[in-house]
Amino acid sequence: MSNTNKDNFDVSDLGATLPAAAAAALSAEDRAGLVNALKNKLQNLAGQHSSDVLEALSPTVRKRVEVLREIQSQHDELEAKFFEERAALEAKYQKLYEPLYRMRYEIVNGVIEIEGVNSESTMGKEEDKTKDEKGVPEFWLTAMKTNEILAEEISERDEEALKYLKDIKWCRIDDPKGFKLEFFFDSNPFFNNSVLTKTYHMIDDDEPILEKAIGTDIKWLPGKCLTHKILKKKPRKGSKNAKPITKTENCESFFNFFSPPQVPEDEEDIDEDIAEELQNQMEQDYDIGSTIRDKIIPHAVSWFTGEAVEGDELEDIEDEDEDDDDGDEDEDDDEEDEDDDDDEEEEDKSKKKKSGSRTKAGESPQGERPPECKQQ
């Protein structure tokens, strides 16, 4: 893919171009080799740029920068240890979370009942009408719809299918690096799959650089596909074909999440506009996946009750306050500058008043200096 501005080449472009284009023809080992080769090439280019910068510096400044580079290197070593320890810590706590997630699953799906629910003292008329209701109906659908990002992806048609969603899990994968989401469904009238998965392969596990995403091929039941809609058009009058003309079109659906965007294998078919669109689609796809992993799964109950929304809103307000504070500081600086300008103008005026009582050489009869004097 041609790039008119090579200096602005972004490593994240690797995730949107090469791997998907080569996926069909190359093994995982070959793809990893190509990705590493390109990363090394970029590092070499960065190194060349670095040497150019250093050569442009004076010897004294260059020595200082060399010391700064050594400090940066020490920082990077510590950061690598941080990433390693963080991964181990996450793995440790994932195991500790698991019993809690299992209990949540059992209560939500009515596998177990909590104490006191079936006692006569807690059974009112309204509760008696729903005594056959198991677990917490529409738990995951409600939790997902409460989240602003996911709510935009869920259509009204999707809701009926998502009512059968029993659980969502995620796990890290090591070869290749990334993570996998699993959506567990009860038997439903829409598709045969009991589990739908979405896997993200990352170029760098520590940085959100997406190599590619793989989704489940959904086995839709006849006439139940939610990612397509069938349009029927009446035949023209006098047409020999009396049957209505049917046409299938893609439509917006949460279940498109399991058919992630793919880059064409032929790079010649990709221009800058297509590349930018694909990049945006892949970023949006990753945003949805990471939202489910980082927000919905660990805090599903809070999203179901709506408490998590308040937390999100508070974070947004804090961010806005920080922006406002920065803006206020800028305004204060501007006001101080204006005050300084006003003070200087007043001083100039007072000087002019004092000098105006005596007429010196070069002054006009009114005691004012000619225009050229003001510019000196």
Side-chain angles (χ1 to χ4, degrees):
M1 179 175 62
S2 63
N3 191 340
T4 56
N5 193 348
K6 295 182 180 179
D7 293 336
N8 291 336
F9 184 79
D10 188 353
V11 177
S12 62
D13 291 339
L14 296 176
T17 55
L18 170 71
L26 300 175
S27 65
E29 184 177 355
D30 292 334
R31 288 200 303 274
L34 276 173
V35 169
N36 289 330
L38 283 172
K39 288 174 68 178
N40 291 335
K41 183 177 180 181
L42 289 174
Q43 289 172 355
N44 291 336
L45 290 173
Q48 182 179 351
H49 176 72
S50 173
S51 65
D52 292 341
V53 171
L54 291 175
E55 289 176 2
L57 300 174
S58 66
T60 305
V61 175
R62 191 183 308 158
K63 288 182 180 179
R64 294 169 186 155
V65 173
E66 288 295 346
V67 174
L68 291 175
R69 293 179 71 187
E70 291 177 6
I71 295 173
Q72 183 65 52
S73 178
Q74 294 174 22
H75 171 276
D76 294 344
E77 289 178 6
L78 289 174
E79 189 176 43
K81 291 181 181 179
F82 162 72
F83 287 137
E84 184 179 347
E85 292 180 11
R86 185 182 67 177
L89 194 62
E90 285 181 352
K92 171 187 174 181
Y93 276 88
Q94 277 299 120
K95 291 181 180 179
L96 296 176
Y97 294 148
E98 192 56 41
L100 303 177
Y101 291 155
R102 184 167 57 250
M103 290 176 61
R104 182 179 67 187
Y105 168 83
E106 291 175 347
I107 293 174
V108 165
N109 293 283
V111 177
I112 61 173
E113 188 57 273
I114 62 174
E115 294 181 4
V117 168
N118 293 325
S119 63
E120 292 183 3
S121 59
T122 60
M123 291 285 288
K125 292 183 180 180
E126 292 297 325
E127 291 178 337
D128 188 52
K129 293 179 182 178
T130 59
K131 63 181 179 180
D132 295 330
E133 198 172 49
K134 293 184 178 181
V136 183
E138 303 178 18
F139 176 81
W140 289 101
L141 170 60
T142 303
M144 291 169 66
K145 283 181 62 181
T146 307
N147 180 273
E148 185 177 5
I149 292 176
L150 300 183
E152 294 179 358
E153 305 298 321
I154 299 173
S155 68
E156 291 185 9
R157 299 172 69 213
D158 294 332
E159 293 185 18
E160 287 301 316
L162 290 173
K163 289 178 181 179
Y164 293 90
L165 182 57
K166 299 192 298 182
D167 201 9
I168 309 176
K169 295 182 178 181
W170 82 276
C171 63
R172 286 192 178 276
I173 56 175
D174 294 324
D175 189 18
K177 293 287 186 179
F179 66 95
K180 180 171 70 172
L181 297 170
E182 295 179 303
F183 299 75
F184 296 85
F185 284 85
D186 205 347
S187 298
N188 63 81
F190 294 92
F191 46 80
N192 288 322
N193 311 67
S194 59
V195 182
L196 300 180
T197 64
K198 181 68 172 286
T199 305
Y200 289 91
H201 292 175
M202 314 302 292
I203 292 176
D204 190 339
D205 194 35
D206 297 326
E207 296 291 337
I209 302 175
L210 179 63
E211 179 184 357
K212 66 175 179 178
I214 304 171
T216 299
D217 182 17
I218 303 178
K219 299 175 182 178
W220 296 103
L221 294 172
K224 295 295 184 177
C225 180
L226 296 173
T227 59
H228 295 90
K229 58 183 178 181
I230 300 175
L231 303 177
K232 292 184 178 181
K233 187 177 180 181
K234 294 181 179 180
R236 296 179 180 178
K237 292 183 179 180
S239 175
K240 294 181 180 180
N241 187 7
K243 294 182 179 180
I245 301 171
T246 58
K247 183 180 179 181
T248 302
E249 288 186 354
N250 296 332
C251 63
E252 293 183 357
S253 170
F254 171 77
F255 291 93
N256 287 321
F257 176 66
F258 300 98
S259 300
Q262 299 293 334
V263 178
E265 294 185 10
D266 190 353
E267 293 186 4
E268 294 180 358
D269 295 338
I270 308 174
D271 59 23
E272 291 185 5
D273 292 337
I274 294 176
E276 184 177 357
E277 182 181 354
L278 286 171
Q279 185 74 13
N280 292 336
Q281 290 175 354
M282 295 184 76
E283 288 176 359
Q284 182 182 7
D285 181 74
Y286 179 81
D287 194 22
I288 295 170
S290 60
T291 296
I292 294 172
R293 178 194 65 184
D294 299 334
K295 292 189 174 183
I296 301 301
I297 293 176
H299 306 290
V301 177
S302 297
W303 286 104
F304 177 83
T305 61
E307 295 166 292
V309 178
E310 298 174 6
D312 263 18
E313 289 176 350
L314 287 175
E315 289 180 5
D316 292 339
I317 291 172
E318 289 176 359
D319 293 339
E320 290 176 3
D321 288 342
E322 290 178 2
D323 294 339
D324 291 341
D325 290 341
D326 293 339
D328 292 340
E329 289 177 3
D330 294 339
E331 289 177 3
D332 292 339
D333 293 340
D334 293 339
E335 289 176 359
E336 289 176 3
D337 293 340
E338 290 176 1
D339 292 340
D340 293 340
D341 293 339
D342 293 339
D343 293 340
E344 291 176 0
E345 289 179 3
E346 290 177 0
E347 289 177 4
D348 291 341
K349 289 180 180 178
S350 62
K351 289 178 182 178
K352 289 178 182 178
K353 287 181 180 179
K354 290 179 181 178
S355 61
S357 60
R358 297 189 300 271
T359 303
K360 295 181 180 180
E363 290 183 345
S364 63
Q366 289 80 12
E368 295 179 356
R369 294 183 182 274
E372 60 270 22
C373 294
K374 294 182 181 178
Q375 296 174 359
Q376 291 177 350

